[in-house]
Amino acid sequence: MSLIVMKFGGSSVGTPERMQRVAKRIVDSQLAGNRVIVVVSAMGDTTDDLIDQSKLLNPNPPAREMDMLLTTGEQISVALLSMTIHQLGHQAVSLTGWQAGIRTEAVHSKAKITDIRPDRLFKELDAGNVVIVAGFQGMTEDGDITTLGRGGSDTTAVALAAAVKADVCEIYTDVDGVYSTDPRVVKVARKLNEISYDEMLELAHLGAAVLHPRAVEYAKHNNVKLVVRSSFTQNEGTSVKEEAVMEQGVVVRGIAFDKNVARISILGVEDEPGVLANVFGSLANSGIDVDVIVQSGVKSGKADFSFTVSGDDEARAVDVINGIRAEVPFSEVTSEAGLVKVSIVGAGMVSNPGVAATMFKAISSLGVSIKMVSTSEIKVSCIIAAEPLQEVVRSLHTAYGLDTAEQVFVGGPQDRR
Amino acid sequence: MSLIVMKFGGSSVGTPERMQRVAKRIVDSQLAGNRVIVVVSAMGDTTDDLIDQSKLLNPNPPAREMDMLLTTGEQISVALLSMTIHQLGHQAVSLTGWQAGIRTEAVHSKAKITDIRPDRLFKELDAGNVVIVAGFQGMTEDGDITTLGRGGSDTTAVALAAAVKADVCEIYTDVDGVYSTDPRVVKVARKLNEISYDEMLELAHLGAAVLHPRAVEYAKHNNVKLVVRSSFTQNEGTSVKEEAVMEQGVVVRGIAFDKNVARISILGVEDEPGVLANVFGSLANSGIDVDVIVQSGVKSGKADFSFTVSGDDEARAVDVINGIRAEVPFSEVTSEAGLVKVSIVGAGMVSNPGVAATMFKAISSLGVSIKMVSTSEIKVSCIIAAEPLQEVVRSLHTAYGLDTAEQVFVGGPQDRR
């Protein structure tokens, strides 16, 4: 008898028919001999509707009150899903985050889980219930309701799986697994049977929005076996675990890209200690995430450097840089939006020299110039012009031998909570 | 500095404009020097919408899961009301029933409050917050969420007022107080400035739907001073307290009526011990509430008796009686729907003989025959034909000297949660 955690996103339970299909799937898993804990997100547009209601009354509501408001969305989902399972003649009990023993820091809208007390979960499992837990939420030691922020329901599922030592944590989504790249861009994108945590983490961070990076980190840290699979098909899905089996000759597992990148360049900066800390500290204080950073060599005491931000933050980032000109003298700040970041990811890269060279060659053979490069042990990222993105990704997919098996892509955009 | 509890029903917060008006009213009360606890119901149609959603998935959902679902309605209200107060530049904190320390029996859909632990309430008041508590809900000792059933938010308000020893519990509603009778029926109905708990209890039970009887009982038992007033005007409202000042010459405080009454008569019943217990036990087991019961004299070992039920239960009640014919032999069961119960209520009745006679005379002078009579220390009820109800109520209103001051009636139907 296995103990499993099944997580369903908001679009998987967005209509009565979908809710019934999910209930059936859960019951089938229990009938197959499993003890089942389910984590579910708010249905369809519930969260957006609640946010719209709040904006009419307060455009900048306190985060504590927003958490009180938004957590009702998941509470509605779990109650309705439990009722649907009862209608199928099976036992289920719904629990809020605090009822499931999920304790968090005293931070609102993006709390981290500090502790899970699984007594209630085991009590309900022992009574023969499917236990349905509201995702995305927890409680502080003082009894305030918190939310976990983006990817919260994925994180809830993984954290529960770790706390109860589940055999597997199944993440049900709109697609039937993790792909070698976005199948909407490259038709021959392959579904991966296995992937390592680190590879998944790079792919998740790089825009392959199947699984939230926080959840992957949590799974890696607690060695929780994850399976990403479709809630609409019986396909096997993708296993995410410590060491993925190396497929023959494959050093690159997948290709990710992020389409909304801007590059900011600061030229002629005085090369003094603390300059970089000042620049990036100011950006962080303004809530701007910086991704790739490249500093060129110093000439006559002056340096140039460039960094990338989300295209949405381009104007604000330039404002922040101009705002610190008094403290950090420089000669010029320039920016360029409409760029993309293309990345190749694979744990096999470490032991295979020449992987990056293949990437640069594939890109430049299309006449595309590479504006910035960033590398880690298991990935290489290039910042390039937005066009021709499709050709670049296809060319890389072929160059790294990922085209070997065609698969039909099923599904649409992901929900990200 | 007074400590007050203000309770607002769902229609008082049903639109953003109403929510803002309620927030303003709360802030004004705090600015006037009060420490304020607010209890609020689910907004407008929220509860009905949630019930409709659940019916699509399970026509008979478990009560525990229904409580999980419905309590989200009040949680949404309190969060939004708190945000609205913040938008006015004041401090507020919203609390669910369990956060407010409301403990109940382990019964779903109609739990009774067993205990209130007000530590959190005082902590938030001491921090200068308006404390906004979700009505209608509590938590069992085992950490399950419960609801209090009909009149639940009124009961929450009164119970909190008792627990924190509030100076007054203000119930805001659509009308500006308790009336001598329904102003839609008798134009000269007078708003009462004061009424005793017992009188209010009789009026509440008898269909004057301003305040739920459970809440009045709770207030009487804990000696909580209640004020019923309009959320739309600044009028003074009606005080409900231990001993209402007797207005000169007034022995009857008000006239209530219930329009949907059916009379069931069982004729020729064997007069044996346990017969009544059997009949009314069977009705109770079928969930049928019996109101007035009249037994006529016994002739040759056989008795006739009659009782009233809600018009909605007429057919089922007859079925139940026919179903126990084997155990309780009788010669005939008859029923008559479309009746009304008219009641006069007043604590002054006890010391004023002849009050009932005035009622019978006023009714019979209109050519209306009285089918049943029931009395208590502070009320007399008559079951009569539905027509002419208006003339009967007007005639009683005049006969008991209640027409003395005309008042304009403001407002519409009550919300009852």
Short mmCIF file of all heavy atoms in Angstrom, two decimals, chain A residues 43 54 57-59 61-62 64-66 68 71-72 75-76 79 82-84 86-87 93-94 98-99 120 139 142-144, chain B residues 53-54 57-59 61-62 64-66 68 71-72 75-76 79 82-84 86-87 93-94 98-99 120 139 142-144:
data_model
loop_
_atom_site.label_atom_id
_atom_site.label_comp_id
_atom_site.label_asym_id
_atom_site.label_seq_id
_atom_site.Cartn_x
_atom_site.Cartn_y
_atom_site.Cartn_z
N MET A 43 -10.47 27.27 -7.78
CA MET A 43 -11.04 26.92 -9.08
C MET A 43 -10.94 28.08 -10.06
O MET A 43 -11.30 29.22 -9.74
CB MET A 43 -12.52 26.60 -8.92
CG MET A 43 -12.80 25.35 -8.14
SD MET A 43 -14.45 25.42 -7.39
CE MET A 43 -15.47 25.45 -8.88
N SER A 54 -11.78 43.16 -4.32
CA SER A 54 -11.04 43.92 -3.32
C SER A 54 -10.59 45.27 -3.88
O SER A 54 -10.59 46.27 -3.17
CB SER A 54 -9.83 43.11 -2.82
OG SER A 54 -8.82 43.10 -3.80
N LEU A 57 -12.69 48.28 -3.39
CA LEU A 57 -12.80 48.82 -2.03
C LEU A 57 -11.48 49.37 -1.52
O LEU A 57 -11.46 50.27 -0.68
CB LEU A 57 -13.30 47.72 -1.09
CG LEU A 57 -14.71 47.22 -1.45
CD1 LEU A 57 -15.02 45.90 -0.74
CD2 LEU A 57 -15.75 48.26 -1.10
N ASN A 58 -10.38 48.81 -2.00
CA ASN A 58 -9.06 49.28 -1.55
C ASN A 58 -8.02 48.85 -2.57
O ASN A 58 -7.70 47.66 -2.67
CB ASN A 58 -8.74 48.71 -0.16
CG ASN A 58 -7.48 49.32 0.44
OD1 ASN A 58 -6.62 49.80 -0.29
ND2 ASN A 58 -7.38 49.30 1.76
N PRO A 59 -7.47 49.82 -3.33
CA PRO A 59 -6.50 49.45 -4.38
C PRO A 59 -5.20 48.87 -3.80
O PRO A 59 -4.50 48.15 -4.49
CB PRO A 59 -6.22 50.77 -5.09
CG PRO A 59 -7.26 51.74 -4.61
CD PRO A 59 -7.73 51.26 -3.28
N PRO A 61 -4.70 46.93 -0.56
CA PRO A 61 -5.13 46.35 0.72
C PRO A 61 -3.95 45.79 1.51
O PRO A 61 -2.94 45.38 0.91
CB PRO A 61 -6.07 45.23 0.29
CG PRO A 61 -5.66 44.88 -1.09
CD PRO A 61 -5.12 46.13 -1.71
N PRO A 62 -4.06 45.76 2.84
CA PRO A 62 -3.00 45.14 3.65
C PRO A 62 -2.85 43.67 3.27
O PRO A 62 -3.84 42.98 3.02
CB PRO A 62 -3.53 45.25 5.08
CG PRO A 62 -4.64 46.24 5.03
CD PRO A 62 -5.18 46.24 3.65
N ARG A 64 -2.13 41.12 5.02
CA ARG A 64 -2.81 40.19 5.93
C ARG A 64 -4.26 39.98 5.51
O ARG A 64 -4.77 38.85 5.51
CB ARG A 64 -2.78 40.71 7.36
CG ARG A 64 -3.46 39.76 8.33
CD ARG A 64 -3.76 40.40 9.69
NE ARG A 64 -4.39 39.41 10.54
CZ ARG A 64 -5.68 39.12 10.50
NH1 ARG A 64 -6.49 39.71 9.64
NH2 ARG A 64 -6.18 38.18 11.30
N GLU A 65 -4.94 41.07 5.18
CA GLU A 65 -6.37 40.96 4.81
C GLU A 65 -6.52 40.30 3.45
O GLU A 65 -7.48 39.57 3.20
CB GLU A 65 -7.02 42.35 4.85
CG GLU A 65 -6.91 43.05 6.20
CD GLU A 65 -7.50 42.24 7.35
OE1 GLU A 65 -8.50 41.53 7.14
OE2 GLU A 65 -6.93 42.28 8.47
N MET A 66 -5.57 40.55 2.55
CA MET A 66 -5.62 39.90 1.24
C MET A 66 -5.49 38.39 1.41
O MET A 66 -6.16 37.62 0.72
CB MET A 66 -4.47 40.43 0.39
CG MET A 66 -4.71 40.30 -1.09
SD MET A 66 -6.15 41.28 -1.61
CE MET A 66 -6.19 40.82 -3.34
N MET A 68 -6.48 36.68 4.05
CA MET A 68 -7.78 36.24 4.56
C MET A 68 -8.75 36.04 3.41
O MET A 68 -9.51 35.09 3.36
CB MET A 68 -8.37 37.29 5.51
CG MET A 68 -7.86 37.27 6.91
SD MET A 68 -8.44 35.82 7.85
CE MET A 68 -10.05 36.40 8.41
N THR A 71 -7.51 33.04 0.59
CA THR A 71 -7.52 31.65 1.04
C THR A 71 -8.92 31.03 0.99
O THR A 71 -9.05 29.82 1.03
CB THR A 71 -6.97 31.52 2.47
OG1 THR A 71 -7.61 32.47 3.31
CG2 THR A 71 -5.47 31.74 2.50
N THR A 72 -9.96 31.87 0.87
CA THR A 72 -11.31 31.30 0.72
C THR A 72 -11.42 30.54 -0.59
O THR A 72 -12.20 29.59 -0.68
CB THR A 72 -12.41 32.38 0.77
OG1 THR A 72 -12.23 33.30 -0.30
CG2 THR A 72 -12.37 33.13 2.10
N GLN A 75 -10.41 27.06 0.00
CA GLN A 75 -11.34 26.41 0.93
C GLN A 75 -12.61 25.97 0.19
O GLN A 75 -13.17 24.91 0.44
CB GLN A 75 -11.67 27.36 2.09
CG GLN A 75 -12.43 26.65 3.22
CD GLN A 75 -12.57 27.51 4.46
OE1 GLN A 75 -11.70 28.31 4.78
NE2 GLN A 75 -13.68 27.35 5.18
N ILE A 76 -13.06 26.81 -0.76
CA ILE A 76 -14.22 26.44 -1.58
C ILE A 76 -13.89 25.19 -2.41
O ILE A 76 -14.67 24.23 -2.45
CB ILE A 76 -14.64 27.62 -2.48
CG1 ILE A 76 -15.22 28.75 -1.63
CG2 ILE A 76 -15.62 27.18 -3.56
CD1 ILE A 76 -15.45 30.06 -2.38
N ALA A 79 -13.78 21.91 -0.25
CA ALA A 79 -15.11 21.48 0.22
C ALA A 79 -15.88 20.86 -0.94
O ALA A 79 -16.48 19.78 -0.79
CB ALA A 79 -15.87 22.68 0.80
N SER A 82 -14.45 17.45 -1.94
CA SER A 82 -14.83 16.43 -0.96
C SER A 82 -16.27 15.96 -1.19
O SER A 82 -16.57 14.77 -1.19
CB SER A 82 -14.66 16.98 0.45
OG SER A 82 -15.16 16.08 1.40
N MET A 83 -17.17 16.94 -1.40
CA MET A 83 -18.58 16.59 -1.66
C MET A 83 -18.70 15.71 -2.90
O MET A 83 -19.52 14.79 -2.95
CB MET A 83 -19.39 17.87 -1.90
CG MET A 83 -19.56 18.75 -0.68
SD MET A 83 -20.45 20.26 -1.15
CE MET A 83 -20.28 21.19 0.39
N THR A 84 -17.90 16.01 -3.92
CA THR A 84 -17.97 15.26 -5.18
C THR A 84 -17.52 13.82 -4.95
O THR A 84 -18.10 12.88 -5.52
CB THR A 84 -17.10 15.95 -6.25
OG1 THR A 84 -17.43 17.34 -6.28
CG2 THR A 84 -17.34 15.35 -7.61
N HIS A 86 -17.76 12.22 -2.05
CA HIS A 86 -18.87 11.60 -1.30
C HIS A 86 -19.99 11.17 -2.26
O HIS A 86 -20.58 10.11 -2.09
CB HIS A 86 -19.43 12.58 -0.27
CG HIS A 86 -18.64 12.64 1.00
ND1 HIS A 86 -18.91 11.83 2.08
CD2 HIS A 86 -17.57 13.39 1.36
CE1 HIS A 86 -18.04 12.10 3.05
NE2 HIS A 86 -17.22 13.04 2.65
N GLN A 87 -20.25 12.01 -3.26
CA GLN A 87 -21.30 11.68 -4.23
C GLN A 87 -20.97 10.39 -4.98
O GLN A 87 -21.86 9.66 -5.40
CB GLN A 87 -21.49 12.86 -5.20
CG GLN A 87 -22.52 12.65 -6.29
CD GLN A 87 -23.94 12.56 -5.74
OE1 GLN A 87 -24.19 12.86 -4.59
NE2 GLN A 87 -24.87 12.15 -6.59
N VAL A 93 -12.46 13.96 3.46
CA VAL A 93 -12.58 15.06 4.41
C VAL A 93 -11.68 16.19 3.89
O VAL A 93 -10.56 15.96 3.44
CB VAL A 93 -12.21 14.59 5.83
CG1 VAL A 93 -10.74 14.22 5.95
CG2 VAL A 93 -12.57 15.63 6.87
N SER A 94 -12.24 17.41 3.91
CA SER A 94 -11.46 18.55 3.44
C SER A 94 -10.83 19.27 4.62
O SER A 94 -11.42 19.33 5.70
CB SER A 94 -12.37 19.52 2.66
OG SER A 94 -13.35 20.08 3.50
N TRP A 98 -4.35 25.40 7.79
CA TRP A 98 -4.07 25.32 9.23
C TRP A 98 -4.59 24.02 9.82
O TRP A 98 -3.95 23.45 10.72
CB TRP A 98 -4.60 26.55 9.98
CG TRP A 98 -6.07 26.80 9.90
CD1 TRP A 98 -6.73 27.61 9.01
CD2 TRP A 98 -7.10 26.27 10.77
NE1 TRP A 98 -8.08 27.58 9.26
CE2 TRP A 98 -8.34 26.79 10.33
CE3 TRP A 98 -7.09 25.41 11.86
CZ2 TRP A 98 -9.55 26.47 10.94
CZ3 TRP A 98 -8.30 25.09 12.47
CH2 TRP A 98 -9.50 25.62 12.01
N GLN A 99 -5.70 23.51 9.32
CA GLN A 99 -6.20 22.24 9.83
C GLN A 99 -5.25 21.09 9.47
O GLN A 99 -5.15 20.11 10.21
CB GLN A 99 -7.60 21.95 9.28
CG GLN A 99 -8.69 22.82 9.89
CD GLN A 99 -10.04 22.58 9.28
OE1 GLN A 99 -10.17 22.31 8.08
NE2 GLN A 99 -11.10 22.67 10.09
N ARG A 120 -3.23 15.24 12.25
CA ARG A 120 -4.59 15.22 11.73
C ARG A 120 -4.66 14.46 10.40
O ARG A 120 -5.61 13.71 10.14
CB ARG A 120 -5.08 16.66 11.55
CG ARG A 120 -6.48 16.81 10.96
CD ARG A 120 -7.54 16.56 12.00
NE ARG A 120 -8.88 16.44 11.46
CZ ARG A 120 -9.79 17.41 11.46
NH1 ARG A 120 -9.51 18.59 11.98
NH2 ARG A 120 -10.99 17.20 10.97
N MET A 139 -0.68 28.77 8.37
CA MET A 139 -1.01 29.59 9.52
C MET A 139 0.27 29.91 10.29
O MET A 139 1.15 29.07 10.39
CB MET A 139 -1.97 28.81 10.42
CG MET A 139 -2.49 29.61 11.60
SD MET A 139 -3.67 28.64 12.58
CE MET A 139 -2.55 27.65 13.56
N ASP A 142 0.95 32.52 15.62
CA ASP A 142 -0.03 33.35 16.32
C ASP A 142 -1.45 33.14 15.81
O ASP A 142 -2.38 33.83 16.24
CB ASP A 142 0.33 34.84 16.16
CG ASP A 142 1.55 35.20 16.99
OD1 ASP A 142 1.88 34.44 17.92
OD2 ASP A 142 2.18 36.24 16.69
N GLY A 143 -1.63 32.20 14.87
CA GLY A 143 -2.99 31.91 14.41
C GLY A 143 -3.49 32.80 13.29
O GLY A 143 -4.69 32.90 13.07
N ASP A 144 -2.56 33.49 12.58
CA ASP A 144 -2.99 34.26 11.41
C ASP A 144 -2.87 33.40 10.16
O ASP A 144 -1.96 32.57 10.04
CB ASP A 144 -2.13 35.52 11.26
CG ASP A 144 -2.69 36.67 12.07
OD1 ASP A 144 -3.92 36.80 12.12
OD2 ASP A 144 -1.89 37.43 12.65
N GLN B 53 -23.68 25.98 -6.29
CA GLN B 53 -22.49 25.29 -6.81
C GLN B 53 -22.40 23.87 -6.26
O GLN B 53 -22.10 22.93 -6.97
CB GLN B 53 -21.22 26.04 -6.41
CG GLN B 53 -20.82 27.16 -7.34
CD GLN B 53 -19.41 27.65 -6.99
OE1 GLN B 53 -19.23 28.38 -6.03
NE2 GLN B 53 -18.42 27.24 -7.77
N SER B 54 -22.67 23.74 -4.95
CA SER B 54 -22.53 22.43 -4.32
C SER B 54 -23.57 21.45 -4.85
O SER B 54 -23.30 20.27 -5.03
CB SER B 54 -22.65 22.55 -2.81
OG SER B 54 -23.99 22.78 -2.43
N LEU B 57 -22.79 19.23 -7.72
CA LEU B 57 -21.81 18.17 -7.49
C LEU B 57 -22.32 17.11 -6.53
O LEU B 57 -21.92 15.95 -6.59
CB LEU B 57 -20.50 18.77 -6.96
CG LEU B 57 -19.83 19.73 -7.95
CD1 LEU B 57 -18.78 20.57 -7.27
CD2 LEU B 57 -19.24 18.95 -9.12
N ASN B 58 -23.19 17.53 -5.60
CA ASN B 58 -23.74 16.58 -4.63
C ASN B 58 -25.02 17.15 -4.05
O ASN B 58 -24.97 18.12 -3.29
CB ASN B 58 -22.70 16.31 -3.53
CG ASN B 58 -23.14 15.19 -2.60
OD1 ASN B 58 -24.33 14.92 -2.45
ND2 ASN B 58 -22.18 14.53 -1.97
N PRO B 59 -26.17 16.57 -4.40
CA PRO B 59 -27.45 17.12 -3.91
C PRO B 59 -27.59 17.00 -2.40
O PRO B 59 -28.34 17.76 -1.79
CB PRO B 59 -28.50 16.28 -4.63
CG PRO B 59 -27.77 15.50 -5.67
CD PRO B 59 -26.34 15.40 -5.25
N PRO B 61 -24.92 16.94 0.29
CA PRO B 61 -23.53 16.93 0.76
C PRO B 61 -23.45 16.72 2.27
O PRO B 61 -24.38 17.09 3.00
CB PRO B 61 -23.01 18.31 0.38
CG PRO B 61 -24.22 19.17 0.29
CD PRO B 61 -25.34 18.27 -0.14
N PRO B 62 -22.35 16.13 2.76
CA PRO B 62 -22.17 15.98 4.20
C PRO B 62 -22.17 17.37 4.86
O PRO B 62 -21.61 18.32 4.31
CB PRO B 62 -20.78 15.34 4.34
CG PRO B 62 -20.43 14.82 2.99
CD PRO B 62 -21.19 15.61 2.00
N ARG B 64 -20.58 18.48 7.38
CA ARG B 64 -19.25 19.01 7.68
C ARG B 64 -18.66 19.76 6.49
O ARG B 64 -18.08 20.83 6.63
CB ARG B 64 -18.29 17.86 8.07
CG ARG B 64 -16.90 18.36 8.40
CD ARG B 64 -15.85 17.28 8.46
NE ARG B 64 -14.56 17.85 8.80
CZ ARG B 64 -13.76 18.47 7.93
NH1 ARG B 64 -14.12 18.60 6.66
NH2 ARG B 64 -12.62 18.97 8.32
N GLU B 65 -18.80 19.18 5.30
CA GLU B 65 -18.23 19.80 4.11
C GLU B 65 -19.01 21.06 3.73
O GLU B 65 -18.45 22.03 3.23
CB GLU B 65 -18.19 18.79 2.96
CG GLU B 65 -17.39 17.52 3.27
CD GLU B 65 -15.95 17.80 3.70
OE1 GLU B 65 -15.35 18.75 3.19
OE2 GLU B 65 -15.44 17.08 4.59
N MET B 66 -20.33 21.03 3.96
CA MET B 66 -21.15 22.22 3.70
C MET B 66 -20.69 23.37 4.59
O MET B 66 -20.64 24.52 4.15
CB MET B 66 -22.61 21.88 3.96
CG MET B 66 -23.58 22.76 3.22
SD MET B 66 -23.37 22.58 1.42
CE MET B 66 -24.57 23.78 0.88
N MET B 68 -17.64 23.80 5.78
CA MET B 68 -16.37 24.26 5.19
C MET B 68 -16.64 25.22 4.04
O MET B 68 -15.98 26.24 3.89
CB MET B 68 -15.58 23.07 4.62
CG MET B 68 -14.79 22.29 5.62
SD MET B 68 -13.36 23.17 6.28
CE MET B 68 -12.15 22.85 4.98
N THR B 71 -18.75 28.76 5.25
CA THR B 71 -18.04 29.73 6.09
C THR B 71 -17.10 30.62 5.29
O THR B 71 -16.67 31.66 5.79
CB THR B 71 -17.22 29.00 7.18
OG1 THR B 71 -16.45 27.97 6.57
CG2 THR B 71 -18.13 28.41 8.23
N THR B 72 -16.80 30.25 4.04
CA THR B 72 -15.99 31.14 3.22
C THR B 72 -16.73 32.44 2.93
O THR B 72 -16.11 33.48 2.75
CB THR B 72 -15.59 30.50 1.87
OG1 THR B 72 -16.77 30.19 1.13
CG2 THR B 72 -14.79 29.23 2.09
N GLN B 75 -15.97 34.81 5.63
CA GLN B 75 -14.54 35.16 5.62
C GLN B 75 -14.26 36.20 4.54
O GLN B 75 -13.46 37.12 4.74
CB GLN B 75 -13.69 33.90 5.42
CG GLN B 75 -12.20 34.15 5.62
CD GLN B 75 -11.38 32.86 5.63
OE1 GLN B 75 -11.86 31.81 6.05
NE2 GLN B 75 -10.16 32.94 5.16
N ILE B 76 -14.94 36.07 3.40
CA ILE B 76 -14.80 37.08 2.34
C ILE B 76 -15.31 38.44 2.84
O ILE B 76 -14.66 39.47 2.68
CB ILE B 76 -15.56 36.63 1.07
CG1 ILE B 76 -14.87 35.42 0.44
CG2 ILE B 76 -15.69 37.77 0.07
CD1 ILE B 76 -15.66 34.74 -0.68
N ALA B 79 -12.86 40.12 5.41
CA ALA B 79 -11.62 40.60 4.78
C ALA B 79 -11.89 41.88 4.00
O ALA B 79 -11.16 42.87 4.11
CB ALA B 79 -11.03 39.52 3.87
N SER B 82 -12.62 44.86 6.33
CA SER B 82 -11.38 45.34 6.94
C SER B 82 -10.59 46.21 5.94
O SER B 82 -10.12 47.30 6.28
CB SER B 82 -10.53 44.15 7.39
OG SER B 82 -9.27 44.58 7.84
N MET B 83 -10.48 45.72 4.69
CA MET B 83 -9.77 46.52 3.67
C MET B 83 -10.43 47.87 3.47
O MET B 83 -9.75 48.88 3.26
CB MET B 83 -9.81 45.76 2.32
CG MET B 83 -9.00 44.49 2.30
SD MET B 83 -9.25 43.67 0.70
CE MET B 83 -8.41 42.11 1.01
N THR B 84 -11.76 47.90 3.52
CA THR B 84 -12.50 49.15 3.30
C THR B 84 -12.21 50.14 4.43
O THR B 84 -12.06 51.34 4.20
CB THR B 84 -14.00 48.85 3.19
OG1 THR B 84 -14.19 47.79 2.27
CG2 THR B 84 -14.77 50.07 2.71
N HIS B 86 -9.42 50.14 6.23
CA HIS B 86 -8.04 50.59 5.99
C HIS B 86 -8.01 51.70 4.94
O HIS B 86 -7.26 52.67 5.06
CB HIS B 86 -7.17 49.41 5.53
CG HIS B 86 -6.66 48.57 6.64
ND1 HIS B 86 -5.47 48.80 7.28
CD2 HIS B 86 -7.19 47.49 7.27
CE1 HIS B 86 -5.29 47.90 8.24
NE2 HIS B 86 -6.33 47.08 8.25
N GLN B 87 -8.84 51.55 3.90
CA GLN B 87 -8.89 52.57 2.85
C GLN B 87 -9.33 53.93 3.40
O GLN B 87 -8.96 54.98 2.89
CB GLN B 87 -9.84 52.09 1.73
CG GLN B 87 -10.03 53.05 0.57
CD GLN B 87 -8.76 53.21 -0.26
OE1 GLN B 87 -7.80 52.46 -0.11
NE2 GLN B 87 -8.75 54.21 -1.12
N VAL B 93 -8.71 44.66 11.79
CA VAL B 93 -8.19 43.32 11.57
C VAL B 93 -9.39 42.38 11.50
O VAL B 93 -10.33 42.49 12.29
CB VAL B 93 -7.19 42.93 12.69
CG1 VAL B 93 -7.86 42.81 14.04
CG2 VAL B 93 -6.44 41.68 12.34
N SER B 94 -9.39 41.51 10.50
CA SER B 94 -10.50 40.58 10.36
C SER B 94 -10.14 39.24 11.00
O SER B 94 -8.98 38.83 10.97
CB SER B 94 -10.82 40.37 8.87
OG SER B 94 -9.75 39.74 8.21
N TRP B 98 -13.07 30.90 14.37
CA TRP B 98 -12.10 30.21 15.24
C TRP B 98 -11.01 31.15 15.71
O TRP B 98 -10.54 31.02 16.85
CB TRP B 98 -11.54 28.96 14.55
CG TRP B 98 -10.79 29.17 13.27
CD1 TRP B 98 -11.30 29.12 12.00
CD2 TRP B 98 -9.39 29.48 13.11
NE1 TRP B 98 -10.32 29.38 11.07
CE2 TRP B 98 -9.14 29.59 11.72
CE3 TRP B 98 -8.34 29.66 13.99
CZ2 TRP B 98 -7.88 29.89 11.19
CZ3 TRP B 98 -7.07 29.95 13.47
CH2 TRP B 98 -6.86 30.07 12.09
N GLN B 99 -10.61 32.09 14.88
CA GLN B 99 -9.60 33.05 15.33
C GLN B 99 -10.12 33.94 16.45
O GLN B 99 -9.36 34.38 17.31
CB GLN B 99 -9.14 33.92 14.15
CG GLN B 99 -8.26 33.18 13.15
CD GLN B 99 -7.87 34.04 11.97
OE1 GLN B 99 -8.64 34.87 11.51
NE2 GLN B 99 -6.67 33.82 11.44
N ARG B 120 -7.65 36.98 21.97
CA ARG B 120 -7.24 37.61 20.72
C ARG B 120 -8.03 38.90 20.47
O ARG B 120 -7.49 39.90 19.98
CB ARG B 120 -7.47 36.62 19.57
CG ARG B 120 -7.15 37.15 18.18
CD ARG B 120 -5.68 37.10 17.92
NE ARG B 120 -5.26 37.82 16.72
CZ ARG B 120 -5.00 37.24 15.55
NH1 ARG B 120 -5.08 35.94 15.42
NH2 ARG B 120 -4.62 37.96 14.52
N MET B 139 -15.62 26.86 15.84
CA MET B 139 -14.75 25.70 15.68
C MET B 139 -14.99 24.73 16.83
O MET B 139 -15.21 25.15 17.96
CB MET B 139 -13.30 26.16 15.67
CG MET B 139 -12.29 25.07 15.41
SD MET B 139 -10.60 25.71 15.39
CE MET B 139 -10.25 25.75 17.14
N ASP B 142 -11.98 19.79 18.34
CA ASP B 142 -11.09 19.01 17.48
C ASP B 142 -10.59 19.80 16.27
O ASP B 142 -9.91 19.24 15.40
CB ASP B 142 -11.80 17.75 16.97
CG ASP B 142 -11.99 16.74 18.09
OD1 ASP B 142 -11.27 16.85 19.11
OD2 ASP B 142 -12.86 15.86 17.95
N GLY B 143 -10.97 21.09 16.19
CA GLY B 143 -10.45 21.90 15.09
C GLY B 143 -11.26 21.82 13.81
O GLY B 143 -10.75 22.14 12.74
N ASP B 144 -12.52 21.37 13.90
CA ASP B 144 -13.37 21.39 12.72
C ASP B 144 -14.20 22.68 12.69
O ASP B 144 -14.61 23.19 13.73
CB ASP B 144 -14.32 20.18 12.71
CG ASP B 144 -13.67 18.97 12.07
OD1 ASP B 144 -12.93 19.16 11.08
OD2 ASP B 144 -13.89 17.85 12.56
#
